[in-house]
Amino acid sequence: MAVEFDLQADPRDVPAEDRMAYEAVDVDLLSRLAEHVLERLHVHPDAELSIAVVDEDEMARLHVEWMDLPGPTDVLSFPMDELRPGTPEEPAEGTLGDIVLCPPVARRQAEAAGHSVADELCLLTTHGILHLLGHDHAEPAERRVMFALQRDLLTDFLGRPAPVETME
C-alpha cells in the first residue's frame, strides 16, 4: 500500500493556537490506519493514496472550488479510479485518490467531541477513505451504514472504542 503525505504547513509557522493540531499529525499512525482500513476493505496492496495536510485558508479555497461551500471543512476526498471495496478473492485495484485534512478544524471538532486531536485525525482519515471507496452520508440510511463501518474500522484499529463522530 502506497500512502503518500503532503504536509503543507510546518507547525512552527502556524498560529500558536493551531500548533498542537499540526503536531498531532502522526504520519506513521495515519499510514498504518490507512493500510488497516484498506486491507479490511479488500483494496489491493498496490493501490495508492495521497493525504494532504493544509491550513484553513487552503481548505476554504478547496471547499469553495470543489463543493461550492464557504469556509474551511475538516476533510475532503477526491477519488481517482472510483474504486469500491473488493473481496478477499478479488481485491480492488487502482489509485484511490486524495484526502485533504485540516488540523485546525480537526482540533475544534475534537474539543467539541471530548477526544484528542489525534483521534479526530484518525476518524477523519477513515471517513475520507470511505468516501474514496464510494460511501456517502447524504441520506439517513447511507449515514447509518457509513458511520457504523467507520466506527467498526476505528475500534478494530485502535483496540478501544472509536471516537465519537462530530458529524452526527
Side-chain angles (χ1 to χ4, degrees), residues 139-168:
E139 300 296 326
E142 293 172 328
R143 176 185 222 118
R144 281 190 297 279
V145 169
M146 182 176 178
F147 282 34
L149 180 56
Q150 181 175 284
R151 278 189 293 274
D152 178 55
L153 291 165
L154 274 170
T155 296
D156 186 46
F157 176 75
L158 295 171
R160 58 179 166 79
V164 176
E165 297 89 359
T166 54
M167 295 182 64
E168 290 190 316

PDB file of all heavy atoms in Angstrom, residues 139-168:
ATOM      1  N   GLU A 139     -27.954  10.634   2.855  1.00  0.00           N
ATOM      2  CA  GLU A 139     -29.257  10.115   3.287  1.00  0.00           C
ATOM      3  C   GLU A 139     -29.096   9.385   4.626  1.00  0.00           C
ATOM      4  O   GLU A 139     -28.041   8.803   4.888  1.00  0.00           O
ATOM      5  CB  GLU A 139     -29.820   9.154   2.238  1.00  0.00           C
ATOM      6  CG  GLU A 139     -30.033   9.792   0.873  1.00  0.00           C
ATOM      7  CD  GLU A 139     -31.073  10.893   0.893  1.00  0.00           C
ATOM      8  OE1 GLU A 139     -32.049  10.779   1.664  1.00  0.00           O
ATOM      9  OE2 GLU A 139     -30.893  11.880   0.167  1.00  0.00           O
ATOM     10  N   PRO A 140     -30.147   9.383   5.459  1.00  0.00           N
ATOM     11  CA  PRO A 140     -30.038   8.729   6.774  1.00  0.00           C
ATOM     12  C   PRO A 140     -29.581   7.264   6.708  1.00  0.00           C
ATOM     13  O   PRO A 140     -28.748   6.848   7.522  1.00  0.00           O
ATOM     14  CB  PRO A 140     -31.448   8.844   7.347  1.00  0.00           C
ATOM     15  CG  PRO A 140     -32.018  10.065   6.691  1.00  0.00           C
ATOM     16  CD  PRO A 140     -31.435  10.078   5.305  1.00  0.00           C
ATOM     17  N   ALA A 141     -30.079   6.491   5.755  1.00  0.00           N
ATOM     18  CA  ALA A 141     -29.675   5.086   5.654  1.00  0.00           C
ATOM     19  C   ALA A 141     -28.191   4.970   5.282  1.00  0.00           C
ATOM     20  O   ALA A 141     -27.468   4.128   5.831  1.00  0.00           O
ATOM     21  CB  ALA A 141     -30.540   4.350   4.634  1.00  0.00           C
ATOM     22  N   GLU A 142     -27.730   5.820   4.370  1.00  0.00           N
ATOM     23  CA  GLU A 142     -26.319   5.820   3.980  1.00  0.00           C
ATOM     24  C   GLU A 142     -25.449   6.209   5.175  1.00  0.00           C
ATOM     25  O   GLU A 142     -24.393   5.619   5.397  1.00  0.00           O
ATOM     26  CB  GLU A 142     -26.059   6.828   2.855  1.00  0.00           C
ATOM     27  CG  GLU A 142     -26.707   6.504   1.542  1.00  0.00           C
ATOM     28  CD  GLU A 142     -26.561   7.650   0.540  1.00  0.00           C
ATOM     29  OE1 GLU A 142     -26.531   8.833   0.953  1.00  0.00           O
ATOM     30  OE2 GLU A 142     -26.473   7.341  -0.655  1.00  0.00           O
ATOM     31  N   ARG A 143     -25.902   7.206   5.920  1.00  0.00           N
ATOM     32  CA  ARG A 143     -25.169   7.689   7.089  1.00  0.00           C
ATOM     33  C   ARG A 143     -25.006   6.573   8.122  1.00  0.00           C
ATOM     34  O   ARG A 143     -23.911   6.379   8.656  1.00  0.00           O
ATOM     35  CB  ARG A 143     -25.910   8.878   7.698  1.00  0.00           C
ATOM     36  CG  ARG A 143     -25.281   9.372   8.966  1.00  0.00           C
ATOM     37  CD  ARG A 143     -26.118  10.485   9.603  1.00  0.00           C
ATOM     38  NE  ARG A 143     -25.202  11.477  10.057  1.00  0.00           N
ATOM     39  CZ  ARG A 143     -25.140  12.717   9.640  1.00  0.00           C
ATOM     40  NH1 ARG A 143     -25.994  13.168   8.782  1.00  0.00           N
ATOM     41  NH2 ARG A 143     -24.246  13.523  10.121  1.00  0.00           N
ATOM     42  N   ARG A 144     -26.085   5.836   8.387  1.00  0.00           N
ATOM     43  CA  ARG A 144     -26.008   4.741   9.359  1.00  0.00           C
ATOM     44  C   ARG A 144     -24.974   3.697   8.924  1.00  0.00           C
ATOM     45  O   ARG A 144     -24.162   3.246   9.728  1.00  0.00           O
ATOM     46  CB  ARG A 144     -27.373   4.093   9.559  1.00  0.00           C
ATOM     47  CG  ARG A 144     -28.301   4.859  10.472  1.00  0.00           C
ATOM     48  CD  ARG A 144     -29.545   4.070  10.833  1.00  0.00           C
ATOM     49  NE  ARG A 144     -30.393   3.746   9.692  1.00  0.00           N
ATOM     50  CZ  ARG A 144     -31.261   4.587   9.134  1.00  0.00           C
ATOM     51  NH1 ARG A 144     -31.407   5.810   9.612  1.00  0.00           N
ATOM     52  NH2 ARG A 144     -31.988   4.208   8.113  1.00  0.00           N
ATOM     53  N   VAL A 145     -25.007   3.317   7.644  1.00  0.00           N
ATOM     54  CA  VAL A 145     -24.078   2.308   7.140  1.00  0.00           C
ATOM     55  C   VAL A 145     -22.640   2.817   7.200  1.00  0.00           C
ATOM     56  O   VAL A 145     -21.747   2.136   7.715  1.00  0.00           O
ATOM     57  CB  VAL A 145     -24.454   1.898   5.693  1.00  0.00           C
ATOM     58  CG1 VAL A 145     -23.362   1.062   5.055  1.00  0.00           C
ATOM     59  CG2 VAL A 145     -25.781   1.144   5.677  1.00  0.00           C
ATOM     60  N   MET A 146     -22.415   4.016   6.698  1.00  0.00           N
ATOM     61  CA  MET A 146     -21.056   4.555   6.642  1.00  0.00           C
ATOM     62  C   MET A 146     -20.472   4.762   8.040  1.00  0.00           C
ATOM     63  O   MET A 146     -19.336   4.384   8.309  1.00  0.00           O
ATOM     64  CB  MET A 146     -21.031   5.870   5.864  1.00  0.00           C
ATOM     65  CG  MET A 146     -19.644   6.460   5.722  1.00  0.00           C
ATOM     66  SD  MET A 146     -19.662   7.933   4.694  1.00  0.00           S
ATOM     67  CE  MET A 146     -17.950   8.419   4.779  1.00  0.00           C
ATOM     68  N   PHE A 147     -21.255   5.346   8.937  1.00  0.00           N
ATOM     69  CA  PHE A 147     -20.734   5.631  10.270  1.00  0.00           C
ATOM     70  C   PHE A 147     -20.548   4.355  11.086  1.00  0.00           C
ATOM     71  O   PHE A 147     -19.631   4.276  11.909  1.00  0.00           O
ATOM     72  CB  PHE A 147     -21.613   6.647  10.989  1.00  0.00           C
ATOM     73  CG  PHE A 147     -21.372   8.066  10.526  1.00  0.00           C
ATOM     74  CD1 PHE A 147     -21.036   8.364   9.219  1.00  0.00           C
ATOM     75  CD2 PHE A 147     -21.480   9.110  11.401  1.00  0.00           C
ATOM     76  CE1 PHE A 147     -20.805   9.663   8.799  1.00  0.00           C
ATOM     77  CE2 PHE A 147     -21.251  10.425  11.005  1.00  0.00           C
ATOM     78  CZ  PHE A 147     -20.908  10.695   9.697  1.00  0.00           C
ATOM     79  N   ALA A 148     -21.380   3.351  10.887  1.00  0.00           N
ATOM     80  CA  ALA A 148     -21.193   2.071  11.574  1.00  0.00           C
ATOM     81  C   ALA A 148     -19.895   1.412  11.101  1.00  0.00           C
ATOM     82  O   ALA A 148     -19.118   0.893  11.919  1.00  0.00           O
ATOM     83  CB  ALA A 148     -22.388   1.150  11.332  1.00  0.00           C
ATOM     84  N   LEU A 149     -19.655   1.442   9.801  1.00  0.00           N
ATOM     85  CA  LEU A 149     -18.416   0.878   9.263  1.00  0.00           C
ATOM     86  C   LEU A 149     -17.214   1.676   9.769  1.00  0.00           C
ATOM     87  O   LEU A 149     -16.192   1.104  10.181  1.00  0.00           O
ATOM     88  CB  LEU A 149     -18.462   0.878   7.734  1.00  0.00           C
ATOM     89  CG  LEU A 149     -17.232   0.321   7.012  1.00  0.00           C
ATOM     90  CD1 LEU A 149     -16.915  -1.102   7.463  1.00  0.00           C
ATOM     91  CD2 LEU A 149     -17.455   0.386   5.494  1.00  0.00           C
ATOM     92  N   GLN A 150     -17.324   2.976   9.787  1.00  0.00           N
ATOM     93  CA  GLN A 150     -16.258   3.841  10.286  1.00  0.00           C
ATOM     94  C   GLN A 150     -15.923   3.503  11.740  1.00  0.00           C
ATOM     95  O   GLN A 150     -14.753   3.344  12.101  1.00  0.00           O
ATOM     96  CB  GLN A 150     -16.732   5.289  10.165  1.00  0.00           C
ATOM     97  CG  GLN A 150     -15.780   6.349  10.612  1.00  0.00           C
ATOM     98  CD  GLN A 150     -16.348   7.725  10.302  1.00  0.00           C
ATOM     99  OE1 GLN A 150     -16.341   8.151   9.160  1.00  0.00           O
ATOM    100  NE2 GLN A 150     -16.864   8.401  11.312  1.00  0.00           N
ATOM    101  N   ARG A 151     -16.942   3.369  12.576  1.00  0.00           N
ATOM    102  CA  ARG A 151     -16.723   3.021  13.994  1.00  0.00           C
ATOM    103  C   ARG A 151     -16.071   1.648  14.127  1.00  0.00           C
ATOM    104  O   ARG A 151     -15.159   1.455  14.927  1.00  0.00           O
ATOM    105  CB  ARG A 151     -18.041   3.056  14.764  1.00  0.00           C
ATOM    106  CG  ARG A 151     -18.468   4.445  15.201  1.00  0.00           C
ATOM    107  CD  ARG A 151     -19.656   4.411  16.131  1.00  0.00           C
ATOM    108  NE  ARG A 151     -20.875   3.942  15.492  1.00  0.00           N
ATOM    109  CZ  ARG A 151     -21.730   4.710  14.807  1.00  0.00           C
ATOM    110  NH1 ARG A 151     -21.487   5.992  14.672  1.00  0.00           N
ATOM    111  NH2 ARG A 151     -22.807   4.197  14.284  1.00  0.00           N
ATOM    112  N   ASP A 152     -16.549   0.679  13.335  1.00  0.00           N
ATOM    113  CA  ASP A 152     -16.008  -0.678  13.392  1.00  0.00           C
ATOM    114  C   ASP A 152     -14.530  -0.688  12.993  1.00  0.00           C
ATOM    115  O   ASP A 152     -13.700  -1.295  13.680  1.00  0.00           O
ATOM    116  CB  ASP A 152     -16.819  -1.596  12.473  1.00  0.00           C
ATOM    117  CG  ASP A 152     -16.280  -3.011  12.453  1.00  0.00           C
ATOM    118  OD1 ASP A 152     -16.157  -3.615  13.538  1.00  0.00           O
ATOM    119  OD2 ASP A 152     -15.979  -3.508  11.341  1.00  0.00           O
ATOM    120  N   LEU A 153     -14.197  -0.023  11.911  1.00  0.00           N
ATOM    121  CA  LEU A 153     -12.811   0.025  11.445  1.00  0.00           C
ATOM    122  C   LEU A 153     -11.900   0.698  12.465  1.00  0.00           C
ATOM    123  O   LEU A 153     -10.792   0.216  12.746  1.00  0.00           O
ATOM    124  CB  LEU A 153     -12.732   0.753  10.101  1.00  0.00           C
ATOM    125  CG  LEU A 153     -13.361   0.025   8.913  1.00  0.00           C
ATOM    126  CD1 LEU A 153     -13.561   0.981   7.743  1.00  0.00           C
ATOM    127  CD2 LEU A 153     -12.521  -1.175   8.507  1.00  0.00           C
ATOM    128  N   LEU A 154     -12.358   1.808  13.025  1.00  0.00           N
ATOM    129  CA  LEU A 154     -11.549   2.535  14.006  1.00  0.00           C
ATOM    130  C   LEU A 154     -11.401   1.761  15.313  1.00  0.00           C
ATOM    131  O   LEU A 154     -10.317   1.725  15.893  1.00  0.00           O
ATOM    132  CB  LEU A 154     -12.159   3.901  14.294  1.00  0.00           C
ATOM    133  CG  LEU A 154     -11.749   5.002  13.336  1.00  0.00           C
ATOM    134  CD1 LEU A 154     -12.586   6.247  13.570  1.00  0.00           C
ATOM    135  CD2 LEU A 154     -10.279   5.315  13.466  1.00  0.00           C
ATOM    136  N   THR A 155     -12.475   1.162  15.785  1.00  0.00           N
ATOM    137  CA  THR A 155     -12.414   0.368  17.019  1.00  0.00           C
ATOM    138  C   THR A 155     -11.424  -0.776  16.854  1.00  0.00           C
ATOM    139  O   THR A 155     -10.601  -1.030  17.739  1.00  0.00           O
ATOM    140  CB  THR A 155     -13.811  -0.156  17.385  1.00  0.00           C
ATOM    141  OG1 THR A 155     -14.651   0.961  17.678  1.00  0.00           O
ATOM    142  CG2 THR A 155     -13.769  -1.089  18.583  1.00  0.00           C
ATOM    143  N   ASP A 156     -11.479  -1.444  15.704  1.00  0.00           N
ATOM    144  CA  ASP A 156     -10.564  -2.549  15.436  1.00  0.00           C
ATOM    145  C   ASP A 156      -9.119  -2.058  15.394  1.00  0.00           C
ATOM    146  O   ASP A 156      -8.227  -2.673  15.980  1.00  0.00           O
ATOM    147  CB  ASP A 156     -10.954  -3.217  14.118  1.00  0.00           C
ATOM    148  CG  ASP A 156     -10.156  -4.467  13.842  1.00  0.00           C
ATOM    149  OD1 ASP A 156      -9.993  -5.297  14.761  1.00  0.00           O
ATOM    150  OD2 ASP A 156      -9.682  -4.620  12.696  1.00  0.00           O
ATOM    151  N   PHE A 157      -8.876  -0.937  14.742  1.00  0.00           N
ATOM    152  CA  PHE A 157      -7.515  -0.412  14.631  1.00  0.00           C
ATOM    153  C   PHE A 157      -6.983   0.080  15.973  1.00  0.00           C
ATOM    154  O   PHE A 157      -5.848  -0.221  16.355  1.00  0.00           O
ATOM    155  CB  PHE A 157      -7.457   0.726  13.606  1.00  0.00           C
ATOM    156  CG  PHE A 157      -6.103   1.367  13.507  1.00  0.00           C
ATOM    157  CD1 PHE A 157      -5.065   0.725  12.853  1.00  0.00           C
ATOM    158  CD2 PHE A 157      -5.867   2.601  14.088  1.00  0.00           C
ATOM    159  CE1 PHE A 157      -3.801   1.312  12.780  1.00  0.00           C
ATOM    160  CE2 PHE A 157      -4.608   3.193  14.017  1.00  0.00           C
ATOM    161  CZ  PHE A 157      -3.576   2.548  13.355  1.00  0.00           C
ATOM    162  N   LEU A 158      -7.786   0.846  16.689  1.00  0.00           N
ATOM    163  CA  LEU A 158      -7.337   1.458  17.937  1.00  0.00           C
ATOM    164  C   LEU A 158      -7.294   0.474  19.105  1.00  0.00           C
ATOM    165  O   LEU A 158      -6.603   0.717  20.093  1.00  0.00           O
ATOM    166  CB  LEU A 158      -8.248   2.636  18.307  1.00  0.00           C
ATOM    167  CG  LEU A 158      -8.228   3.821  17.340  1.00  0.00           C
ATOM    168  CD1 LEU A 158      -9.336   4.811  17.699  1.00  0.00           C
ATOM    169  CD2 LEU A 158      -6.861   4.499  17.331  1.00  0.00           C
ATOM    170  N   GLY A 159      -8.067  -0.614  19.013  1.00  0.00           N
ATOM    171  CA  GLY A 159      -8.130  -1.566  20.112  1.00  0.00           C
ATOM    172  C   GLY A 159      -8.934  -1.051  21.298  1.00  0.00           C
ATOM    173  O   GLY A 159      -8.764  -1.506  22.422  1.00  0.00           O
ATOM    174  N   ARG A 160      -9.791  -0.072  21.036  1.00  0.00           N
ATOM    175  CA  ARG A 160     -10.667   0.532  22.049  1.00  0.00           C
ATOM    176  C   ARG A 160     -11.826   1.183  21.296  1.00  0.00           C
ATOM    177  O   ARG A 160     -11.777   1.290  20.073  1.00  0.00           O
ATOM    178  CB  ARG A 160      -9.908   1.563  22.879  1.00  0.00           C
ATOM    179  CG  ARG A 160      -9.298   2.694  22.044  1.00  0.00           C
ATOM    180  CD  ARG A 160      -8.579   3.709  22.920  1.00  0.00           C
ATOM    181  NE  ARG A 160      -7.736   4.595  22.171  1.00  0.00           N
ATOM    182  CZ  ARG A 160      -8.154   5.661  21.476  1.00  0.00           C
ATOM    183  NH1 ARG A 160      -9.440   5.965  21.444  1.00  0.00           N
ATOM    184  NH2 ARG A 160      -7.299   6.424  20.821  1.00  0.00           N
ATOM    185  N   PRO A 161     -12.846   1.622  22.016  1.00  0.00           N
ATOM    186  CA  PRO A 161     -13.965   2.250  21.297  1.00  0.00           C
ATOM    187  C   PRO A 161     -13.510   3.443  20.452  1.00  0.00           C
ATOM    188  O   PRO A 161     -12.651   4.220  20.854  1.00  0.00           O
ATOM    189  CB  PRO A 161     -14.901   2.693  22.415  1.00  0.00           C
ATOM    190  CG  PRO A 161     -14.597   1.769  23.545  1.00  0.00           C
ATOM    191  CD  PRO A 161     -13.111   1.499  23.444  1.00  0.00           C
ATOM    192  N   ALA A 162     -14.086   3.540  19.277  1.00  0.00           N
ATOM    193  CA  ALA A 162     -13.761   4.628  18.360  1.00  0.00           C
ATOM    194  C   ALA A 162     -14.224   5.970  18.932  1.00  0.00           C
ATOM    195  O   ALA A 162     -15.178   6.025  19.705  1.00  0.00           O
ATOM    196  CB  ALA A 162     -14.451   4.387  17.007  1.00  0.00           C
ATOM    197  N   PRO A 163     -13.545   7.047  18.546  1.00  0.00           N
ATOM    198  CA  PRO A 163     -14.011   8.366  18.977  1.00  0.00           C
ATOM    199  C   PRO A 163     -15.395   8.663  18.397  1.00  0.00           C
ATOM    200  O   PRO A 163     -15.762   8.147  17.340  1.00  0.00           O
ATOM    201  CB  PRO A 163     -12.956   9.323  18.407  1.00  0.00           C
ATOM    202  CG  PRO A 163     -12.256   8.561  17.350  1.00  0.00           C
ATOM    203  CD  PRO A 163     -12.365   7.112  17.699  1.00  0.00           C
ATOM    204  N   VAL A 164     -16.126   9.488  19.103  1.00  0.00           N
ATOM    205  CA  VAL A 164     -17.479   9.866  18.678  1.00  0.00           C
ATOM    206  C   VAL A 164     -17.393  10.758  17.451  1.00  0.00           C
ATOM    207  O   VAL A 164     -16.598  11.707  17.412  1.00  0.00           O
ATOM    208  CB  VAL A 164     -18.194  10.592  19.833  1.00  0.00           C
ATOM    209  CG1 VAL A 164     -19.565  11.092  19.396  1.00  0.00           C
ATOM    210  CG2 VAL A 164     -18.311   9.684  21.032  1.00  0.00           C
ATOM    211  N   GLU A 165     -18.206  10.486  16.447  1.00  0.00           N
ATOM    212  CA  GLU A 165     -18.240  11.291  15.238  1.00  0.00           C
ATOM    213  C   GLU A 165     -18.729  12.700  15.550  1.00  0.00           C
ATOM    214  O   GLU A 165     -19.615  12.891  16.374  1.00  0.00           O
ATOM    215  CB  GLU A 165     -19.180  10.690  14.184  1.00  0.00           C
ATOM    216  CG  GLU A 165     -18.760   9.327  13.677  1.00  0.00           C
ATOM    217  CD  GLU A 165     -19.320   8.191  14.506  1.00  0.00           C
ATOM    218  OE1 GLU A 165     -20.023   8.451  15.504  1.00  0.00           O
ATOM    219  OE2 GLU A 165     -19.031   7.034  14.170  1.00  0.00           O
ATOM    220  N   THR A 166     -18.167  13.651  14.870  1.00  0.00           N
ATOM    221  CA  THR A 166     -18.568  15.037  15.068  1.00  0.00           C
ATOM    222  C   THR A 166     -19.651  15.468  14.086  1.00  0.00           C
ATOM    223  O   THR A 166     -20.126  16.571  14.160  1.00  0.00           O
ATOM    224  CB  THR A 166     -17.352  15.965  14.909  1.00  0.00           C
ATOM    225  OG1 THR A 166     -16.741  15.702  13.634  1.00  0.00           O
ATOM    226  CG2 THR A 166     -16.351  15.749  16.012  1.00  0.00           C
ATOM    227  N   MET A 167     -20.045  14.579  13.177  1.00  0.00           N
ATOM    228  CA  MET A 167     -20.991  14.942  12.127  1.00  0.00           C
ATOM    229  C   MET A 167     -22.423  14.535  12.460  1.00  0.00           C
ATOM    230  O   MET A 167     -23.328  14.882  11.753  1.00  0.00           O
ATOM    231  CB  MET A 167     -20.596  14.307  10.799  1.00  0.00           C
ATOM    232  CG  MET A 167     -19.274  14.836  10.285  1.00  0.00           C
ATOM    233  SD  MET A 167     -18.869  14.123   8.699  1.00  0.00           S
ATOM    234  CE  MET A 167     -20.192  14.757   7.701  1.00  0.00           C
ATOM    235  N   GLU A 168     -22.627  13.748  13.491  1.00  0.00           N
ATOM    236  CA  GLU A 168     -23.982  13.268  13.769  1.00  0.00           C
ATOM    237  C   GLU A 168     -24.827  14.324  14.433  1.00  0.00           C
ATOM    238  O   GLU A 168     -24.396  15.248  15.037  1.00  0.00           O
ATOM    239  CB  GLU A 168     -23.927  12.019  14.640  1.00  0.00           C
ATOM    240  CG  GLU A 168     -23.386  10.854  13.865  1.00  0.00           C
ATOM    241  CD  GLU A 168     -23.525   9.541  14.601  1.00  0.00           C
ATOM    242  OE1 GLU A 168     -23.241   9.489  15.804  1.00  0.00           O
ATOM    243  OE2 GLU A 168     -23.926   8.582  13.944  1.00  0.00           O
TER     244      GLU A 168
END
